[in-house]
Amino acid sequence: MTGFPDGFDIDGLPTRVLFGTGRRAEVAAEVARLGRSALLVTGRSQAAFVAELEQALGGGHAGTLDGAVEHVPVPLAERARAVARETGADVLVAVGGGSSVGLAKAIALTGGQPVVAVPTTYSGSEMTPIWGTSEGGRKTTGRDERVRPRVVLYDPELTLDLPAATSAASGMNAVAHCVEALWLAPANPLVGALAEEGLRELAAALPVLRRSPRDVAVRGGALRGAWLAGTVLAAAGTGLHHKICHVLGGLGLPHAQVHAAVLPAVTAFLADAAPGAVARIRRSLGVADAAEGLWQLAADAGAPTSLADLGLAPEQVDEAADLVAQAGPAAPRRVTADDVRSILGTALAGRP
């Protein structure tokens, strides 16, 4: 990989980060630092670790909410907030991917509980103050410091059983955070350096994981890339690419997979307007063409490369394009509804 130490701690930033093999054993201690009892918020893919954590928390385990799903539907968020109130938990522990972290954020947005995140995918959401909910075919997002996790514990061993398809799509989600940060914050040297390093880590790890999914060192590289990706997402914010993905998510398409299919098309569209960002993407990937290189990375990782394969119908393109354009997403050039239609047409075809 790229010379990072195997484990490290970071304090003094908005989020305390504990990274390394076995760090999951420190969750109970982190909960005790922040409060008296924790509500575990999770999906259903980490049942064994959740059971261990319930035991480790002992009397500090207020309850477990295991119904996290993609895009955080508003009715689910409301039920989760009610459960948090009923249990009296003063800390939330999110175990899983972006869905679990997103549901914990939805609770914290109104309840104010500190969040401890234990990511098991590469979404990067755990490092950001960005929240999102969905209702009626629309996804609403926002930024609020109340939802930014106070502590994130990254343990590569928790990702060893992540399915290949999930690893690929989630990893390309993180790649998108790095890429968009490069054209949203071109004058920020810290964001640029972290984005390039995150992109290099992910590009090195994702194709290898397709062949060697239980390689702890490679899993660690992917998690480091995801950590950096989430960090730059928090700093740079979201723009055209993420807005397209959020709109498509509101229409029912799977979030991480959409990132993989859309990113090359958005990169091709913005290439002339963001030559510096394109040069950094090429350098990080070691390719001659940024958009083509991102498409090839998704293909090599085993991620989707076409919106048609994800279920977007041609007749939905106009609706999606209008919603994106109306939102006025940040981009290094003006973006019209016709531009978004062109991007979606390219992503439907599956090659930039």
Side-chain angles (χ1 to χ4, degrees), residues 39 65 79-89 92 107 113:
L39 174 66
L65 180 64
R79 289 197 301 273
R81 291 162 182 162
V83 170
R85 289 192 297 269
E86 291 165 5
T87 62
L92 305 171
I107 299 170
Q113 302 94 329

Side-chain angles (χ1 to χ4, degrees), residues 72-298:
V72 193
V74 167
L76 174 60
E78 292 173 346
R79 289 197 301 273
R81 291 162 182 162
V83 170
R85 289 192 297 269
E86 291 165 5
T87 62
D90 57 1
V91 181
L92 305 171
V93 178
V95 178
S99 298
S100 298
V101 175
L103 185 55
K105 286 180 174 183
I107 299 170
L109 183 64
T110 58
Q113 302 94 329
V115 177
V116 175
V118 189
T120 62
T121 70
Y122 308 125
S123 77
S125 173
E126 67 278 356
M127 291 302 299
T128 81
I130 301 170
W131 59 269
T133 57
S134 62
E135 187 174 35
R138 300 289 184 269
K139 186 165 184 178
T140 301
T141 61
R143 293 176 69 95
D144 194 306
E145 284 299 324
R146 288 175 297 178
V147 311
R148 188 196 297 262
R150 299 276 191 88
V151 183
V152 179
L153 298 98
Y154 290 101
D155 189 333
E157 289 184 335
L158 288 176
T159 66
L160 292 180
D161 294 321
L162 196 63
T166 305
S167 296
S170 179
M172 289 303 298
N173 186 359
V175 166
H177 302 335
C178 296
V179 168
E180 185 145 75
L182 288 172
W183 60 60
L184 287 180
N188 187 319
L190 178 59
V191 169
L194 295 181
E196 281 199 71
E197 183 68 10
L199 189 50
R200 278 192 292 268
E201 288 276 14
L202 290 160
L206 295 180
V208 179
L209 287 179
R210 191 177 187 182
R211 304 187 300 270
S212 304
R214 295 188 62 80
D215 187 314
V216 176
V218 179
R219 287 287 185 185
L223 268 184
R224 284 193 297 270
W227 162 60
L228 293 168
T231 301
V232 299
L233 173 63
T238 61
L240 174 61
H241 170 79
H242 281 76
K243 176 51 66 176
I244 290 173
C245 294
H246 290 155
V247 166
L248 295 178
L251 295 177
L253 272 67
H255 180 71
Q257 291 86 340
V258 164
H259 277 282
V262 169
L263 184 60
V266 176
T267 303
F269 170 74
L270 293 176
D272 290 342
V278 166
R280 299 181 87 160
I281 296 167
R282 291 201 311 262
R283 180 168 63 206
S284 298
L285 298 181
V287 297
D289 182 277
E292 180 66 26
L294 290 166
W295 185 93
Q296 192 62 57
L297 175 59

Side-chain angles (χ1 to χ4, degrees), residues 51-69:
E52 291 177 17
L53 190 50
E54 289 171 345
Q55 185 172 10
L57 288 168
H61 175 229
T64 297
L65 180 64
D66 65 357
V69 297

